[in-house]
Amino acid sequence: MNISCDKCKKKFDVDASLITDAGRMLECGSCKHRWFFKKDKSHDNVVEKTIMEKPIINVDEAKIEELTNGPVNRKINKLNFLNLIPVFIISFIAIVIVVDTFKSPLGKIVPNIELLLYNLYESLKDISLFFKDLF
């Protein structure tokens, strides 16, 4: 049975026995578009009905399980804070390097920037000595 995605128009060859008379939830392998696919008994034609163009926030998973004849495998994208720590550290170092590079022109805008940078470097040295003493 040939089925095409509504969104990207990619065609797939699907075994007809995998789709029951009640229909089935399908997902395009290319664009990840999801739609409910149902066979029309009276004409033996295939009828497609799009039920999910955009992600739905409140989805009745029991209803989807009933329509798809199986449990819903939901991928949850969670932002892991530990993955952001290296980004923050690298960004902080980059900002310090830029400020240190342009400290003379920035000194006209921000008074005593050299003193602030010196204090920052001394604080970083103290922190590194603290961790060295721990280990």
Side-chain angles (χ1 to χ4, degrees):
M1 172 184 302
N2 289 326
I3 299 173
S4 63
C5 175
D6 293 337
K7 194 170 185 182
C8 69
K9 305 297 183 205
K10 185 167 182 169
K11 294 182 181 182
F12 300 96
D13 185 28
V14 179
D15 186 10
S17 64
L18 294 175
I19 300 176
T20 63
D21 292 335
R24 184 176 183 140
M25 196 73 161
L26 298 177
E27 182 176 356
C28 178
S30 295
C31 68
K32 303 297 183 203
H33 172 70
R34 294 181 69 189
W35 72 96
F36 186 76
F37 185 82
K38 188 173 182 179
K39 294 183 202 178
D40 187 6
K41 291 182 185 177
S42 61
H43 303 291
D44 286 335
N45 292 333
V46 177
V47 176
E48 295 180 31
K49 181 181 176 188
T50 302
I51 65 167
M52 194 163 26
E53 281 291 329
K54 296 180 181 175
I56 299 173
I57 295 173
N58 296 325
V59 177
D60 186 11
E61 291 185 8
K63 183 69 174 172
I64 293 176
E65 286 179 10
E66 178 183 312
L67 292 172
T68 59
N69 297 327
V72 177
N73 292 330
R74 198 177 274 237
K75 293 179 182 177
I76 300 174
N77 294 329
K78 291 184 179 179
L79 186 61
N80 192 351
F81 181 73
L82 293 178
N83 291 339
L84 293 177
I85 291 175
V87 174
F88 288 132
I89 291 172
I90 292 170
S91 299
F92 178 74
I93 291 171
I95 290 171
V96 168
I97 290 172
V98 168
V99 169
D100 189 43
T101 303
F102 297 106
K103 64 183 167 189
S104 296
L106 288 175
K108 295 175 184 174
I109 299 169
V110 179
N112 297 328
I113 195 165
E114 290 181 9
L115 180 63
L116 292 172
L117 285 173
Y118 177 76
N119 288 336
L120 175 68
Y121 295 145
E122 290 298 319
S123 298
L124 292 175
K125 285 180 187 176
D126 290 341
I127 291 170
S128 68
L129 288 174
F130 173 76
F131 281 114
K132 284 181 183 176
D133 287 342
L134 283 179
F135 301 111

